[in-house]
């Protein structure tokens, strides 16, 4: 999508310091971190919201989760614990309409989340 911020990051049109990339996803630091470790994992494929996923995206969604697990291990937070969050639409806090997972760790998480 031409005007999507995350599509531009995924294609390299907008530079970002990537911490992980492969043919399906890229990951980078959140610009407004909510934890000592706050990374975003985005698919290269544009999907606006979780409501727009189809069954053909199941493997991609699994890959996002497995990528989060790899990054958590690399950061040394896998054993301590981390949170993986995906928001859907404005009411849940989604501000960029390209699905993405927030990987948060490095501090005690509370429940319920804000």
């Amino acid at each position: 999508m031409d005007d999507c911020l995350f599509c531009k990051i995924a294609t390299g049109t907008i530079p970002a310091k990537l911490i992980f990339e492969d043919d399906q996803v890229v990951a980078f630091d959140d610009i407004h971190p909510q934890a000592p470790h706050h990374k975003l994992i985005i698919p290269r494929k544009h999907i606006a919201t979780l409501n727009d996923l189809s069954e053909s995206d199941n493997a991609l969604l699994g890959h996002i989760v497995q990528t989060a697990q790899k990054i958590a291990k690399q950061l040394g937070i896998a054993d301590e614990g981390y949170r993986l969050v995906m928001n859907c639409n404005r009411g849940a806090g989604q501000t960029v309409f390209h699905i993405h997972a927030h990987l948060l760790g490095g501090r005690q998480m509370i429940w319920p989340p804000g």
Side-chain angles (χ1 to χ4, degrees), residues 64-109:
I64 290 169
V65 173
Q66 289 178 330
T67 299
Q69 177 193 57
K70 288 178 192 174
I71 294 170
K73 287 179 180 177
Q74 290 172 353
L75 294 171
I77 61 172
D79 291 338
E80 165 188 334
Y82 59 94
R83 183 168 287 168
L84 191 61
V85 177
M86 295 182 84
N87 300 318
C88 183
N89 285 323
R90 292 193 199 288
Q94 185 177 5
T95 58
V96 177
F97 287 83
H98 180 121
I99 65 167
H100 54 284
H102 296 260
L103 171 63
L104 300 122
R107 69 168 171 82
Q108 182 66 45
M109 300 290 160

Side-chain angles (χ1 to χ4, degrees), residues 5-109:
L5 172 67
F6 285 175
C7 284
K8 291 177 181 177
I9 291 172
T11 61
T13 306
I14 293 178
K17 182 182 172 193
L18 302 181
I19 60 162
F20 179 88
E21 70 175 311
D22 65 17
D23 61 329
Q24 296 181 70
V25 300
V26 298
F28 50 92
D29 290 324
D30 191 294
I31 61 171
H32 299 293
Q34 302 299 308
H37 298 288
H38 187 169
K39 313 301 180 188
L40 297 179
I41 303 158
I42 66 169
R44 291 184 184 275
K45 176 184 178 182
H46 181 82
I47 303 168
T49 75
L50 294 174
N51 291 337
D52 299 307
L53 288 166
S54 67
E55 282 190 36
S56 66
D57 298 312
N58 288 351
L60 176 60
L61 209 51
H63 187 68
I64 290 169
V65 173
Q66 289 178 330
T67 299
Q69 177 193 57
K70 288 178 192 174
I71 294 170
K73 287 179 180 177
Q74 290 172 353
L75 294 171
I77 61 172
D79 291 338
E80 165 188 334
Y82 59 94
R83 183 168 287 168
L84 191 61
V85 177
M86 295 182 84
N87 300 318
C88 183
N89 285 323
R90 292 193 199 288
Q94 185 177 5
T95 58
V96 177
F97 287 83
H98 180 121
I99 65 167
H100 54 284
H102 296 260
L103 171 63
L104 300 122
R107 69 168 171 82
Q108 182 66 45
M109 300 290 160

